[in-house]
Amino acid sequence: MIPGARIVLLGRQGAGKGTQCVRLSRHFVVPHISTGDMLRAAVREGTELGKMAKAVIDAGQLVGDDIMVGIVAERLDAEDARTRGYILDGFPRTVAQAIALDEITAKSPVDLAIDLDVPRDLVLSRLSARRVCRDCGANFQSTGTDPSPWTCENCGGDVVQRDDDTPAAINQRLDLYETQTQPLIDYYGSSGRMVAVDGVGSPDDVFARLTQAVEQRR
Ligand code: ADP
């Protein structure tokens, strides 16, 4: 495997980005950097950032660009990301963040942005059924007859519904995606770094399409 893949995964919330990022990060042996996970960890730890982020996240809004860029710049400066590359999940989410990311990584820019494409009506139903492990962040789908209490099969943590997975907050996030994040497709497209991958299908099929898209670029 060629080291040093620097990948951004875009796509609507509920497109299966998180799960696919975990698999891609194992496959290509690069760190998976999820800004949503980082913010939720800060909320759990009760840090200043966490206190500020909680209200914003629960309302389905975006945390400010400056704060997000600061967090990501620090993370990308760590040894593993500098030497191996990364898969960015949930960042950039605005064109301003993408421009800042290109500035931070001027010496070794993002190689590839992938748009994991799943239609809005499909992600709405998936997100309403989404459950996550409070400890390791693994995603599960509720079937309506869930174990109670539900413990994570990977780490034994509590499996819960995210506070921001209410229908109102989900719709708000999907609207924000259209207005703020969709323009990133043009941003990365204009520098020849954009590829779209069909995100509808079994997780294994989608994963195969994603690895193929990455390998075609290397
Ligand atoms: P989802 O993909 O379901 O929206 P994430 O886990 O990526 O969830 O993020 C959860 C929340 O954290 C977002 O709704 C937003 O409030 C905040 N967040 C995460 N990443 C960013 C970012 N790059 N810029 C601004 N806010 C962010």
Side-chain angles (χ1 to χ4, degrees):
M1 204 51 61
I2 309 156
R6 292 177 296 271
I7 301 168
V8 165
L9 199 61
L10 308 173
R12 283 195 180 80
Q13 297 80 0
K17 259 191 321 228
T19 316
Q20 296 293 352
C21 279
V22 171
R23 289 181 72 170
L24 286 170
S25 112
R26 290 195 188 127
H27 184 84
F28 291 109
V29 202
V30 294
H32 167 211
I33 301 178
S34 156
T35 46
D37 286 350
M38 290 163 88
L39 290 174
R40 281 186 290 278
V43 171
R44 274 200 306 277
E45 286 157 17
T47 62
E48 282 309 308
L49 167 70
K51 284 181 204 152
M52 182 280 303
K54 178 156 178 37
V56 178
I57 293 174
D58 287 353
Q61 303 284 348
L62 292 181
V63 175
D65 287 338
D66 290 350
I67 293 170
M68 294 312 303
V69 169
I71 297 171
V72 170
E74 195 179 320
R75 179 64 188 85
L76 293 186
D77 200 34
E79 171 77 19
D80 60 349
R82 274 191 286 119
T83 55
R84 297 219 55 93
Y86 44 80
I87 294 175
L88 269 175
D89 172 11
F91 185 96
R93 249 193 175 75
T94 62
V95 171
Q97 290 181 9
I99 292 169
L101 178 61
D102 274 341
E103 283 166 8
I104 298 165
T105 58
K107 284 193 197 136
S108 42
V110 167
D111 306 304
L112 182 64
I114 303 175
D115 177 31
L116 187 60
D117 188 24
V118 178
R120 181 168 172 143
D121 53 352
L122 190 57
V123 298
L124 244 178
S125 60
R126 281 195 201 166
L127 280 175
S128 311
R130 174 163 74 177
R131 301 293 181 271
V132 291
C133 172
R134 221 197 280 275
D135 291 342
C136 74
N139 280 319
F140 302 93
Q141 288 288 311
S142 165
T143 56
T145 52
D146 305 327
S148 170
W150 189 348
T151 46
C152 174
E153 62 200 45
N154 302 323
C155 77
D158 290 335
V159 175
V160 296
Q161 183 161 33
R162 272 168 43 171
D163 290 342
D164 61 340
D165 275 348
T166 61
I170 291 170
N171 269 307
Q172 166 90 9
R173 295 211 302 284
L174 290 171
D175 288 346
L176 267 180
Y177 180 81
E178 317 284 331
T179 55
Q180 304 265 56
T181 312
Q182 205 105 311
L184 290 175
I185 294 170
D186 291 337
Y187 178 82
Y188 285 109
S190 67
S191 50
R193 292 180 287 176
M194 189 70 229
V195 61
V197 168
D198 180 5
V200 180
S202 75
D204 285 349
D205 286 348
V206 175
F207 179 66
R209 288 176 211 147
L210 285 168
T211 49
Q212 198 186 17
V214 174
E215 264 147 21
Q216 267 172 4
R217 295 289 297 211
R218 289 152 71 96

